[in-house]
Amino acid sequence: MAGKTALIAGATGLVGNELLQFLLKEKEYEKVVALVRRPLAKNNPKLDEIIVDFDKLEDNRESFAVDDVFCCLGTTIKKAKTKEVMWKIDVDYPVAIAKLASSQGAKKFMLVSSMNADPNSPIFYSKMKGKLEEAIKKIPFESTSIFRPSLLLGNRQEFRLGERAAAAIFKKMPFLFAGPLKKYRAIEGKTVASAMYKAAQENKPGITIYPSEQIQKIGG
Ligand SMILES: NC(=O)c1ccc[n+]([C@@H]2O[C@H](COP(=O)([O-])OP(=O)(O)OC[C@H]3O[C@@H](n4cnc5c(N)ncnc54)[C@H](OP(=O)(O)O)[C@@H]3O)[C@@H](O)[C@H]2O)c1
């Protein structure tokens, strides 16, 4: 299908930036709306960059009238400083985006969640992602795709010690993540972005959950 429109949130992040490249390059999309809080420094005739206050997304209600929505928002507890702020960024903003997009007639919603997302988990991060998924599943779209990647690999400007250490283990001892541990294999942000892009070109009705192994297969 030619001439679709897309909206992306989180385009300055690891997965979001890779995804933005796909959306701008591929012919399926004639317009890509990027909701950002700081400029992308990109010049592309397809790109409609909108600097927004994520606490007041409804002020840009009309921008949500697109075909496909890609949500790659998220933060770390180190950056957010409190669980409340992290919840706002990881749950409240994506849910607000999904509600506005659904009300404006968007058909597909693609969300980056995380491996081990579980609303009943005693672990804050897993519970937060599980609650996010629960909320997103209730918002009507023709198609909702939820991606649950393992540890993300890729070039980050910021230093994340835990992620770097884990990534080094994945890279140096890949044999550890064969067999039953395969599902914990780290995954490139670009692979997640590619899988999200490809899923959006399918016409799968209802809700589809993509575990990390499947993301690897589709996007790799
Ligand atoms: N890191 C991992 O290993 C891992 C594993 C599994 C799942 N995930 C999940 O995957 C998703 C994408 O991860 P990622 O590593 O690509 O994320 P990232 O690089 O940290 O990027 C996060 C995006 O969210 C935006 N954002 C953060 N705080 C914001 C705020 N207060 N208001 C508006 N936008 C805000 C950032 O914008 P700015 O550039 O303006 O800050 C950026 O575009 C996240 O939900 C993450 O939880 C991560």
Side-chain angles (χ1 to χ4, degrees):
M1 192 203 298
K4 289 202 289 181
T5 51
L7 180 141
I8 178 168
T12 50
L14 178 64
V15 175
N17 180 49
E18 296 286 2
L19 184 54
L20 183 65
Q21 312 306 320
F22 283 113
L23 298 177
L24 292 176
K25 195 176 73 186
E26 300 299 338
K27 62 179 184 325
E28 276 81 4
Y29 296 97
E30 65 175 24
K31 182 175 131 182
V32 180
V33 178
L35 298 182
V36 286
R37 58 177 178 161
R38 59 188 171 96
L40 283 161
K42 263 191 183 36
N43 205 354
N44 186 300
K46 274 164 73 170
L47 179 63
D48 181 9
E49 173 184 292
I50 306 179
I51 297 182
V52 290
D53 176 348
F54 280 74
D55 287 320
K56 295 179 186 162
L57 287 167
E58 63 284 352
D59 289 356
N60 290 84
R61 177 172 287 277
E62 69 287 351
S63 306
F64 290 80
V66 296
D67 296 303
D68 301 346
V69 181
F70 298 85
C71 185
C72 312
L73 286 179
T75 190
T76 58
I77 194 68
K78 191 176 165 200
K79 270 189 177 173
K81 305 232 175 2
T82 67
K83 288 179 176 174
E84 289 72 24
V85 173
M86 190 171 186
W87 193 281
K88 186 170 86 161
I89 297 163
D90 273 71
V91 180
D92 296 346
Y93 291 166
V95 170
I97 288 166
K99 283 184 175 164
L100 280 163
S102 175
S103 74
Q104 293 294 308
K107 297 174 190 77
K108 292 181 188 165
F109 193 82
M110 270 62 58
L111 172 76
V112 190
S113 174
S114 180
M115 165 176 260
N116 298 331
D118 175 3
N120 301 312
S121 173
I123 299 162
F124 173 75
Y125 184 81
S126 301
K127 182 181 179 140
M128 178 182 74
K129 294 296 188 185
K131 291 282 184 190
L132 164 65
E133 290 188 5
E134 265 188 349
I136 294 294
K137 284 177 190 170
K138 287 185 190 143
I139 302 167
F141 290 100
E142 283 177 16
S143 170
T144 301
S145 299
I146 297 177
F147 297 82
R148 289 182 176 170
S150 177
L151 176 77
L152 294 173
L153 300 175
N155 291 327
R156 285 188 192 282
Q157 282 165 359
E158 69 181 285
F159 182 70
R160 294 185 183 176
L161 180 63
E163 284 184 18
R164 287 247 182 122
I169 296 170
F170 279 114
K171 278 182 176 162
K172 287 206 171 123
M173 292 180 273
F175 53 87
L176 285 180
F177 302 94
L181 293 184
K182 208 171 158 190
K183 64 179 180 179
Y184 297 108
R185 236 176 78 190
I187 187 163
E188 294 285 340
K190 188 172 187 171
T191 306
V192 180
S194 166
M196 292 175 82
Y197 168 76
K198 286 179 184 168
Q201 310 322 312
E202 288 181 14
N203 285 316
K204 254 190 186 175
I207 296 161
T208 309
I209 306 277
Y210 294 89
S212 209
E213 270 185 278
Q214 206 182 340
I215 300 173
Q216 187 73 56
K217 271 189 206 139
I218 302 170

